[in-house]
Amino acid sequence: MLRASLVGTAWMTGLSLRPYLISRAIDDGLRDRDNRALLLWVAAIVVAGIAMAQIGIWRHRTMTFIREDASARSAAVLLRKLSRIGAVLPRKLAAGEVATVGGSDIANTSHVLTMTGPGVGAVVAYSVVAVVLWSISPLLALCVLLGVPVIAIVIGPLLRRLERAETVYRQQQGVLTTRAGDIVAGLRVLAGVGGRDLFARRYADRSQNLLAEGYRVGAVNSWIDALTLAIPGLFLAAVVWVAARMAATGDITVGQLVAVYGYVAVLVVPVWFLLEASYQMIRGRVAARRIIALLNLTPDDVDGRTPDDLDGRTPDDPGGLPGDRPAPTGPAELRDPASGLTVRPGRLIAVAADDPADANALADRLGRYVVSDVTWGGGPLTRIALAEVRSRILVADHDSYLFAGTLREILRVREGLGDDEFRAALRSASAEDVADALPEGLGTPIDARARRLSGGQRQRVRLARALLIEAEVLILVDPTSAVDAHTEARIAERIRVARAGRTTIVFATSPLLLGRADTVAHLRDGRIVATGSHAELLERDPSYRALVSRDGEPDADTEAGGFDGSTDLDPSGLGRPFDVEGSLR
């Protein structure tokens, strides 16, 4: 930034050098008919032009470096913040908002920095030109000194109006981007249930509203652009008219008249930069407020408590401090007082929930993605260091993100894993066929979200990835909702074998998964109302029987291509609950 200010000042003030050289060439060379003096001053003009071109290159390179460096640094800060916020982010901010902040908002703030160097140079150049003009004519200097504030007064109200319009526009743009992302992510499901046209119309209506708001921003912006060019032009014309009258009366020479024209023409450049900087500042302020709003987000669970809860707390307080209790030295019991669920170590526990929202909430509490009263090994889970919890308890959602890379890279979740481990995990997830069907096997490049794979294939790859982590406690949320019944039966048996001796909690309502569990817990209205084996609950719990034995109907996603099989009925004929991959639960 210091280099930009120095180079920008040199470039701006250097622009006023050539009018002086031209005036000397006219007065000393042309008027006096002195060819030698004329050639001397012409050579000086050429040298000055070359020097100014080189300084201009340095200025542009410096501005570009500042803009790109600021964008990269800001993006790094934003990404670090997003990774620290973790699972709370989707509940507090829409994906479209994050996308626009990470894209255009960062670019707008970076552009403000690029105006700093020329802005400092513009102020210095303005002062230099005013001093030089004062030496020629105090009247002309007063015209310049008073003219620029008049320009600011005229443009100022428009800039404030632009800030208001730009703020509304950016908010609506973030909402629309979120809507577009939701539609694209759920396109298969929407097509299956016939909702594609409905959501397309809703998007079109909101897009029209954004278009109207964009016209408002464009109207204000067009006036600013027009005045940015017109007002300095009128200002130049007025000063030149005054100078021409003075030259006609002999108050200044013809060379000085040309110099005045050159000075004022040069002054248009810093004036334009100052106006452009004001415009960029408005956009930057709108963008900066949105960036800061995102950076001000805090996780619900910052190593055990929200930041407000931690203020002034000591280890002796009843709530304790995060990290002040050691984690269990080995497999330990997990207990959730809110629901009454108790998970014994080394067991395969299945939780059948009447409401998927209750299942998700329970999984969040057990995985410590929200503040809760869950205990692990008899002690509060929230008082154990968060890093320790994350390394030993894994919540694997059925729709978790798959990053771009080869299948081998997607599965390499920890060091020391080789192809043998990858293929073993794929087999446990009944996903050997996924690797076999790819042209280069494990080395086949997969795009972001693995869109080239079907819904069931993606889900099985996610399951294989979760198994490879070998977490002490693995919490699987609907791990087979997008596969056919035969594949699901294999997965249920193989998970039991792969996770033998370790704690596994499966949230599902499929009889095939529930039948393989050591214990099944029925979650109703947020509470565990019954526990036992799958067969026992079928016999003595009518509501459980109704939940898992409802008549199967063709899922919407089957028709849309989300499932791997042709049917979603299990061999027992009990049927599966309606739960499509990517459902809106």
Side-chain angles (χ1 to χ4, degrees):
M1 295 298 294
L2 178 60
R3 184 169 78 245
S5 299
L6 295 175
V7 176
T9 300
W11 183 73
M12 287 284 188
T13 54
L15 293 176
S16 61
L17 176 62
R18 283 180 294 179
Y20 170 77
L21 297 176
I22 293 173
S23 68
R24 294 301 303 269
I26 293 174
D27 287 343
D28 297 347
L30 291 178
R31 292 187 63 187
D32 295 344
R33 299 182 182 276
D34 187 342
N35 292 332
R36 182 179 178 182
L38 178 61
L39 290 175
L40 178 64
W41 290 115
V42 168
I45 293 172
V46 172
V47 171
I50 295 174
M52 288 301 301
Q54 184 59 50
I55 295 175
I57 292 174
W58 292 339
R59 182 192 65 84
H60 183 73
R61 286 180 177 176
T62 304
M63 295 300 102
T64 303
F65 171 81
I66 289 174
R67 181 174 62 251
E68 297 302 324
D69 183 69
S71 297
R73 290 172 181 267
S74 300
V77 170
L78 193 64
L79 288 174
R80 284 197 297 269
K81 180 66 176 182
L82 294 178
S83 65
R84 219 164 49 81
I85 294 174
V88 75
L89 180 64
R91 297 197 293 269
K92 292 190 175 182
L93 207 61
E97 187 76 4
V98 177
T100 54
V101 168
S104 56
D105 286 336
I106 284 180
N108 287 337
T109 55
S110 300
H111 274 287
V112 174
L113 297 182
T114 63
M115 302 305 297
T116 303
V120 172
V123 173
V124 175
Y126 173 72
S127 304
V128 169
V129 171
V131 171
V132 173
L133 286 177
W134 189 276
S135 65
I136 297 175
S137 169
L139 177 61
L140 292 175
L142 286 175
C143 291
V144 172
L145 291 173
L146 296 177
V148 173
V150 170
I151 295 175
I153 293 173
V154 173
I155 299 291
L158 286 174
L159 292 176
R160 288 191 294 271
R161 183 179 175 187
L162 175 65
E163 181 175 13
R164 293 192 297 269
E166 184 84 15
T167 300
V168 175
Y169 177 78
R170 296 293 292 109
Q171 291 172 346
Q172 294 188 9
Q173 187 180 39
V175 173
L176 187 63
T177 304
T178 301
R179 178 65 58 86
D182 291 343
I183 292 175
V184 172
L187 194 57
R188 279 186 172 182
V189 178
L190 293 176
V193 300
R196 183 167 52 187
D197 293 338
L198 173 63
F199 276 80
R201 287 194 299 272
R202 290 180 179 176
Y203 178 85
D205 292 341
R206 189 173 288 275
S207 179
Q208 290 300 313
N209 294 335
L210 181 64
L211 179 64
E213 196 64 39
Y215 282 142
R216 285 186 57 200
V217 176
V220 179
N221 193 18
S222 64
W223 275 105
I224 293 175
D225 287 343
L227 292 176
T228 300
L229 295 175
I231 292 180
L234 293 174
F235 174 64
L236 173 63
V239 174
V240 171
W241 183 81
V242 173
R245 293 293 299 260
M246 295 178 67
T249 58
D251 294 333
I252 60 176
T253 66
V254 175
Q256 289 176 324
L257 171 62
V258 174
V260 168
Y261 173 80
Y263 292 141
V264 179
V266 166
L267 193 61
V268 170
V269 176
V271 169
W272 180 87
F273 265 105
L274 290 174
L275 294 176
E276 180 70 12
S278 300
Y279 169 62
Q280 290 291 348
M281 182 65 72
I282 294 300
R283 300 186 66 187
R285 285 176 57 186
V286 174
R289 279 197 290 265
R290 292 163 56 85
I291 295 173
I292 292 172
L294 192 153
L295 294 178
N296 281 336
L297 292 179
T298 56
D300 288 341
D301 187 3
V302 182
D303 252 2
R305 294 285 189 270
T306 62
D308 292 339
D309 293 335
L310 295 177
D311 290 343
R313 191 177 292 276
T314 67
D316 297 329
D317 293 329
L321 281 174
D324 66 350
R325 286 185 63 95
T329 56
E333 182 179 270
L334 265 176
R335 185 174 183 277
D336 176 47
S339 65
L341 177 68
T342 298
V343 181
R344 293 169 55 193
R347 307 274 289 177
L348 174 58
I349 308 297
V351 178
D354 287 8
D355 186 351
D358 291 337
N360 288 338
L362 177 54
D364 283 345
R365 294 197 297 272
L366 294 175
R368 196 176 143 187
Y369 287 101
V370 294
V371 177
S372 69
D373 295 325
V374 172
T375 60
W376 188 24
L381 184 65
T382 54
R383 291 180 62 180
I384 300 172
L386 185 60
E388 184 73 14
V389 175
R390 290 286 178 266
S391 67
R392 297 174 63 180
I393 300 178
L394 171 66
V395 178
D397 190 88
H398 76 288
D399 197 29
S400 57
Y401 196 92
L402 292 174
F403 290 93
T406 64
L407 181 57
R408 183 180 288 107
E409 290 170 341
I410 291 174
L411 295 175
R412 185 174 285 118
V413 291
R414 55 188 176 88
E415 296 296 331
L417 294 176
D419 286 359
D420 292 341
E421 288 84 358
F422 296 149
R423 294 194 179 278
L426 289 171
R427 185 183 184 283
S428 297
S430 191
E432 317 101 297
D433 60 309
V434 177
D436 294 340
L438 294 174
E440 300 176 42
L442 293 173
T444 304
I446 305 295
D447 58 355
R449 292 186 180 274
R451 293 186 179 90
R452 65 183 297 178
L453 304 180
S454 70
Q457 289 175 328
R458 287 195 299 270
Q459 192 171 63
R460 287 181 285 154
V461 169
R462 293 187 186 100
L463 178 57
R465 182 177 63 177
L467 294 174
L468 281 167
I469 294 176
E470 296 185 352
E472 182 179 315
V473 179
L474 177 60
I475 302 172
L476 298 172
V477 181
D478 286 334
T480 59
S481 61
V483 301
D484 61 83
H486 298 289
T487 303
E488 185 176 40
R490 290 194 300 269
I491 291 174
E493 182 59 36
R494 292 175 183 179
I495 286 179
R496 182 178 181 86
V497 174
R499 293 287 302 171
R502 283 173 290 191
T503 306
T504 307
I505 307 169
V506 180
F507 288 87
T509 54
S510 165
L512 293 172
L513 289 174
L514 299 174
R516 301 299 194 282
D518 296 321
T519 303
V520 178
H522 183 198
L523 183 65
R524 188 175 189 180
D525 296 328
R527 297 286 301 176
I528 299 298
V529 295
T531 59
S533 68
H534 174 58
E536 292 171 349
L537 292 184
L538 281 177
E539 182 177 350
R540 60 183 171 84
D541 188 345
S543 61
Y544 175 82
R545 185 166 58 250
L547 173 65
V548 302
S549 303
R550 69 183 72 174
D551 292 333
E553 297 178 0
D555 281 352
D557 211 26
T558 303
E559 181 182 344
F563 286 109
D564 287 341
S566 59
T567 176
D568 63 343
L569 299 178
D570 64 80
S572 67
L574 293 175
R576 310 187 50 206
F578 183 81
D579 189 9
V580 298
E581 185 264 334
S583 63
L584 302 181
R585 67 182 181 83

